[in-house]
Amino acid sequence: AELAAFRAAAAASSAAALVLAAGQGSRFVSPHPKVTHPFIGRPLVTYPIAAAAASRIPSVLIVGHRKEEVAATVRGYLEGMGEAAAEVAFAVQEQQMGTGHAVYLALCGALPEGFSGDVIVMYADNPGMDAALVASLLDRHARLKAELGLSYAATILTGSRRTVAG
């Protein structure tokens, strides 16, 4: 049901977000998956999901390592999102073979057939995500796509934003 709702929302949208949450977070020593750790009161993984939802972009969360725990954390958060929760789906990366493989699985297995919109790839451990950053990212993406043509198909946000002090 969630994949069908996501596909319908993505088909009607000009963009889709892929949120990468499958990795082991091997440098982060903890009994819990890194993306489930709280940051300012909520799990890291919820920040990019909320940013996509606030931007009215359907998203697919790619899970893998300890997928049940990550999915349960996200589903708990989605309960408070109302209708926007229907636009979030899950894809599983059984073998963690890197970012490119995760994106490939989501593109081939989650997005609706013939999807021609823009793809925004976000890391699940990025708490700096919000709707303003997504809007800025989409704006930059549109400018580069206009400049470089259809060969420019995806944007990956690897950080948040630079803070400029006074």
Side-chain angles (χ1 to χ4, degrees):
E2 46 186 44
L3 188 56
F6 164 78
R7 285 182 175 152
S13 177
S14 61
L18 309 181
V19 181
L20 307 180
Q24 294 181 16
S26 58
R27 293 180 302 271
F28 190 83
V29 180
S30 171
H32 303 288
K34 177 171 76 168
V35 300
T36 66
H37 273 268
F39 182 80
I40 309 177
R42 53 188 241 234
L44 286 169
V45 67
T46 64
Y47 287 89
I49 291 170
S55 303
R56 304 216 185 287
I57 299 173
S59 57
V60 60
L61 181 73
I62 298 94
V63 295
H65 176 69
R66 300 185 56 183
K67 62 186 176 218
E68 293 85 7
E69 190 173 347
V70 174
T73 297
V74 171
R75 285 192 173 100
Y77 177 74
L78 292 176
E79 288 176 6
M81 284 183 63
E83 291 180 21
E87 296 184 357
V88 178
F90 294 84
V92 178
Q93 184 185 29
E94 294 294 345
Q95 293 182 304
Q96 285 73 64
M97 297 171 58
T99 298
H101 182 251
V103 171
Y104 171 79
L105 290 175
L107 291 175
C108 295
L111 288 175
E113 190 173 327
F115 180 75
S116 62
D118 295 322
V119 176
I120 307 299
V121 179
M122 299 185 279
Y123 292 102
D125 61 353
N126 188 347
M129 292 297 303
D130 62 20
L133 185 58
V134 171
S136 176
L137 181 73
L138 285 170
D139 180 59
R140 179 171 174 77
H141 179 81
R143 286 193 322 266
L144 287 169
K145 190 173 180 180
E147 180 182 321
L148 300 172
L150 292 178
S151 64
Y152 189 82
T155 297
I156 299 176
L157 178 68
T158 60
S160 296
R161 50 173 75 84
R162 199 173 3 164
T163 302
V164 179

